[in-house]
Amino acid sequence: MKYYLVAGEASGDLHGANLMKALKQEDGDAVFRYFGGDKMHDEGGELVKHYAEMAFMGFTEVILNLRTIFRNLKACKEDILNWEPDVLVLIDFPGFNLKIAEFAKANGIKVCYYISPKVWAWNQKRVLKIKRIVDHMFCILPFEVDFYKEWGMEVDYVGNPLLDEIAQFTPDLNFRENHQLGAEKIIALLPGSRKQEIERLLPVMLSITEKYPGYIFAIAAAPTFTEAYYHQFTGDKKVKLLFSNTYNLLYHAHAAIVASGTATLETALFKVPQVVVYKGGAISIAIARMLVKIKFISLVNLIVNKKIVTELIQEDCNTQKVSSELQIILGGTGRDEMLKNYDELLLLMGKPGASAKTAKLIVEKLKS
């Protein structure tokens, strides 16, 4: 079978790579072509475009980059038609991927969607369009099944692929020594993988480092950027820069400050107490506050449907509040309570196996 995958972000690249690995187990003759990243490329096949050229965050940023987005859409559509895949597998990235799904469906190509668009957050009527243009939806959050059912759409809950990735992870027991991290407790800084995220959040994260001289601060750096890029923010601060080492960093971390997104869930699954931060463009945030219908922005809180981690958004994402919330989770009852709540989250998340289950369902549906 010929599988065309589209992932537009670092998390999509990770999940896409795991899915490709599982598809090869189900279909020994699987051939891949994709928009994705380095992890997918490591699994073989043909990388058409890297996600680093595609990820734009927020309403304003999307508008400013419309020309590039339309160019990417056109290139993707043309490439799909030329390659004639047996199935199109779309991974999250809804602003782009729902347009690709509509195009593929109109051209008689079977569409599977892995990792549902977050239609439950805003403009829920988009489900009606999804029913029309997506043949099979595979969800990774427990509450999504009931949400889709309310709109008359049957979906498959496959578990969460992060559990697969973490289950496969083998920690580097010489991590501290290899990176000259010393014996002090580590505070991990996860400012995201997009340029806009890093430039808005990393300065705030770094602004608190002097308040905690007894700790080591380490940045989970995105491989799409250089050391020189990060040094414009770190300057002469005593901060370690670690590329492609996020899981080792989380495994050894005592606490973390994390950009809202998939990383908040990864941090919780490693049982690292965290403060969640987010800053967007003023216009983007104003529009989001009018449209978004959810109580929380972090996946940790959304899954459990209660506040487990503190979310510091926009004006609340400042030196004083980040430092204050970090202090709460470094020790004492605040830390103990968060760790106890993580146990509840882990119970809801279930067991690993999302990638294998999704791959099996895709192949079954292609054969039926």
Side-chain angles (χ1 to χ4, degrees), residues 3 5 13-28 30 32 34 39-45 91 114 161 164-169 354-360 363:
Y3 301 85
L5 297 89
D13 178 40
L14 170 68
H15 302 322
N18 280 334
L19 181 60
M20 287 166 67
K21 193 181 297 178
L23 282 167
K24 285 187 283 189
Q25 294 292 319
E26 292 292 326
D27 177 3
F32 302 105
Y34 45 88
K39 292 183 186 297
M40 292 172 73
H41 187 254
D42 289 343
E43 291 300 321
I91 303 168
Y114 179 44
D164 298 10
E165 187 68 15
I166 291 170
Q168 295 166 17
F169 167 69
S355 304
K357 186 174 180 182
T358 305
K360 188 170 192 224
V363 172

Side-chain angles (χ1 to χ4, degrees), residues 181 186-190 216-220 239-242 249:
L181 287 167
I186 298 169
I187 297 174
L189 304 179
L190 281 69
I216 298 170
F217 285 82
I219 300 169
V239 181
K240 289 289 183 181
L241 197 59
L242 303 172
L249 176 56

